[in-house]
Amino acid sequence: MLHVVCAVVEHQGEILCMQKGDHKYPYISHHWEFPGGKVEAGESEEQALVRELMEEMDYHVKVERHLLTTDYVYPDFEISLSAYLCHPLNEETPRRFAMKEHLQALWLPSEKLHTLNWAPADQQLIEMLVGDFQ
């Protein structure tokens, strides 16, 4: 079981959505996800989230609150995914970040999140967000 965290980054009523690139498991390649990654030994979930966004995107966020933890079983691995509501720390350029590991990024209002092809592990979170942000 992989322990994974993701950031639901909200800014001015829109949420940051990231598209995965090629993956060793083709069934999750090119799906959409929230940025984040694995929690390393000795890290809190919040510390892992801040580190992962810096490594993958050169992006500073403020972790606001825990939203949801869900488990998902893929054909080749299992994850426990904890999602956190976050906000950009840079007020001058809140939507500027590097694209080191993703194909593209979109900012969408919650009611449009369902229009993307999300990674299966994110489906429960999408359902919650569509309800909470409306």
Side-chain angles (χ1 to χ4, degrees):
M1 172 88 62
L2 298 174
H3 186 188
V4 179
V5 291
C6 70
V8 177
V9 182
E10 189 274 335
H11 179 69
Q12 295 181 337
E14 294 184 319
I15 297 171
L16 178 60
C17 310
M18 306 291 288
Q19 187 181 29
K20 288 177 174 283
D22 290 329
H23 194 276
K24 70 178 181 177
Y25 300 120
Y27 52 82
I28 59 174
S29 292
H30 305 268
H31 282 78
W32 290 83
E33 66 177 359
F34 296 103
K38 295 177 193 139
V39 179
E40 294 180 357
E43 280 185 317
S44 70
E45 290 182 342
E46 293 89 343
Q47 289 169 330
L49 195 52
V50 168
R51 176 188 51 76
E52 284 284 347
L53 270 64
M54 282 303 302
E55 288 176 3
E56 292 182 1
M57 305 167 58
D58 292 331
Y59 197 50
H60 294 276
V61 296
K62 178 180 180 190
V63 180
E64 298 287 343
R65 66 181 169 90
H66 178 259
L67 294 172
L68 172 79
T69 297
T70 185
D71 295 338
Y72 190 82
V73 179
Y74 284 102
D76 299 289
F77 63 100
E78 298 178 33
I79 68 168
S80 177
L81 174 66
S82 294
Y84 286 82
L85 178 64
C86 299
H87 291 97
L89 276 180
N90 188 339
E91 293 181 16
E92 293 175 19
T93 56
R95 296 185 184 212
R96 183 182 297 165
F97 48 83
M99 296 282 289
K100 295 180 182 179
E101 296 190 14
H102 293 92
L103 294 178
Q104 61 179 318
L106 293 173
W107 290 87
L108 294 176
S110 63
E111 64 270 12
K112 300 227 179 200
L113 293 176
H114 70 279
T115 63
L116 300 177
N117 184 21
W118 289 91
D122 290 318
Q123 289 299 326
Q124 186 177 354
L125 179 55
I126 296 301
E127 291 171 20
M128 186 198 89
L129 292 172
V130 169
D132 279 358
F133 280 92
Q134 288 186 357

